[in-house]
Amino acid sequence: MSIFLHILMSNVLPMVIMIGLGIVIQRAFKLDIKTLSKLNFYLFSPAIMFNLLYKTDISASVIGKVLFFFILFMVAQYLIVEAVIRLRSYQPSMKSAMRNSVLFYNSANYGIPLNQLAFAGNEKTLAIQVLIMMMQSLIPNTYGIYNVNAHKADMRTIMRTILSMPIIYVIPIAFLLRGFEVAIPQPIATPLGYLSDAFIGTALITLGVQLGNMEWKIKRSLLIDVSISGILRLVAGPLLAWLIVWLMQMNTLLGIDKLTAAALIVSSAVPTSLSSVLLAVEFDNEAEFASQSVFVSTIISILTVTAVIFFLQLDI
């Protein structure tokens, strides 16, 4: 129990305090969540993504294994969500909202601070988390937009929206500049550094502002669906990740070391992403369910994420 409490206090509580500050500020001053979201979406998130992909030393072998894990993990999650959707006989809008609440997880403004705390700033695990963040940034801005609009918009409109997302340009540019060893001019590198450094604090505050803007109660009509979403995200997620990692370790070609395995499992244990709410609000698609899923999964993750780290018995 003492180890569990230590993990809770050292790895999770610092993030909770930052999120709590966002809640307090929102309750006191009623900030504009859309402005904060745009700052994160168009400035801070692309900047940290570019900086980390450009600077972090990670081998092609590790990149391949992480991406292979991610694909298997997303397919497994998708199949489980689809089974639930069929059993529950959801309407089209609710189908997309449930998919987004499980498939899109907070790998950025929750996952990166958690990785830094859980692995004591280890560069290798940070690089792994960056790759997961990269993929989790791409999917909501491509498939996510298509998912919430497929039943009510034409493909041309959807593609125009997707192509306006900055993250789909940042990732290939960072890889190309790094691959060809192109130096970033100092007048550009310095602002990039400032924006990148601002990401973690601003992201956690933004998450708190979003939570502070929500009703702190679950509608009875949404209780079952929000609970299902939370279980699939916080319990089924890390269990699926553990199973996939175990299977990879059994294969000599796909074998991964203990630290990489732990980083991948921790990356899968985070709560529902704010992107599911932003998509729901932006495209008027079950915004109340999306908000309550984020709220509940974020609160419950305080215990579930602590439990995941505890069972992994990390020795960093």
Side-chain angles (χ1 to χ4, degrees):
M1 181 59 72
S2 61
I3 297 175
F4 185 90
L5 290 175
H6 173 75
I7 294 168
L8 179 65
M9 298 294 288
S10 303
N11 300 156
V12 181
L13 189 58
M15 292 194 306
V16 173
I17 290 173
M18 289 293 292
I19 294 169
L21 288 173
I23 293 172
V24 171
I25 289 173
Q26 173 61 13
R27 296 285 184 174
F29 302 111
K30 300 297 180 187
L31 303 183
D32 181 7
I33 183 62
K34 287 199 170 185
T35 298
L36 283 172
S37 296
K38 281 181 168 56
L39 286 172
N40 279 292
F41 190 78
Y42 288 100
L43 287 177
F44 302 132
S45 180
I48 192 172
M49 178 74 71
F50 179 89
N51 256 8
L52 291 172
L53 290 176
Y54 180 77
K55 293 179 179 179
T56 305
D57 185 22
I58 185 168
S59 69
S61 173
V62 172
I63 291 174
K65 290 174 182 179
V66 171
L67 295 182
F68 182 76
F69 162 86
F70 182 80
I71 292 168
L72 287 182
F73 180 63
M74 293 300 288
V75 169
Q77 282 195 125
Y78 182 85
L79 292 175
I80 291 176
V81 173
E82 285 304 302
V84 170
I85 285 172
R86 289 178 182 273
L87 288 171
R88 296 285 292 164
S89 300
Y90 290 133
Q91 296 297 314
S93 62
M94 190 60 189
K95 286 181 182 179
S96 60
M98 179 60 76
R99 289 188 195 107
N100 289 355
S101 73
V102 178
L103 298 178
F104 305 157
Y105 49 94
N106 209 333
S107 59
N109 56 355
Y110 193 112
I112 285 184
L114 176 65
N115 181 283
Q116 290 288 79
L117 290 165
F119 296 98
N122 186 287
E123 289 187 2
K124 180 179 179 179
T125 63
L126 177 60
I128 291 167
Q129 184 62 40
V130 168
L131 290 172
I132 298 294
M133 173 186 168
M134 175 187 76
M135 297 305 295
Q136 271 291 323
S137 296
L138 273 175
I139 292 176
N141 294 308
T142 51
Y143 168 75
I145 293 172
Y146 168 77
N147 189 34
V148 297
N149 287 287
H151 62 284
K152 60 183 178 180
D154 63 271
M155 185 56 70
R156 183 178 297 178
T157 303
I158 294 170
M159 288 305 299
R160 191 182 303 121
T161 304
I162 290 172
L163 292 174
S164 71
M165 303 295 109
I167 204 72
I168 67 173
Y169 305 106
V170 166
I171 292 169
I173 290 171
F175 275 127
L176 283 171
L177 292 180
R178 181 183 168 187
F180 288 103
E181 299 182 351
V182 178
I184 306 297
Q186 196 60 42
I188 296 175
T190 299
L192 271 174
Y194 291 153
L195 292 171
S196 185
D197 292 341
F199 173 77
I200 291 179
T202 308
L204 288 173
I205 291 293
T206 300
L207 179 55
V209 169
Q210 179 64 53
L211 294 179
N213 206 36
M214 297 175 185
E215 272 191 82
W216 286 29
K217 63 180 181 180
I218 306 175
K219 279 194 173 181
R220 188 170 298 178
S221 60
L222 293 174
L223 179 60
I224 294 176
D225 295 327
V226 170
S227 299
I228 290 171
S229 170
I231 291 169
L232 293 178
R233 176 84 295 281
L234 298 174
V235 180
L239 288 175
L240 279 174
W242 172 82
L243 177 61
I244 294 168
V245 162
W246 179 75
L247 291 173
M248 289 178 69
Q249 289 176 321
M250 295 297 102
N251 188 299
T252 53
L253 292 176
L254 298 172
I256 52 178
D257 60 81
K258 183 180 178 181
L259 185 63
T260 300
L264 291 173
I265 294 171
V266 169
S267 77
S268 73
V270 297
T272 300
S273 172
L274 268 177
S275 62
S276 64
V277 176
L278 299 179
L279 287 169
V281 172
E282 186 72 23
F283 300 105
D284 191 22
N285 190 83
E286 302 290 347
E288 190 168 15
F289 165 78
S291 296
Q292 292 188 9
S293 295
V294 169
F295 174 72
V296 170
S297 66
T298 302
I299 298 302
I300 301 300
S301 72
I302 295 170
L303 295 177
T304 58
V305 165
T306 304
V308 168
I309 297 172
F310 173 76
F311 285 118
L312 284 173
Q313 298 181 340
L314 299 178
D315 182 23
I316 307 302

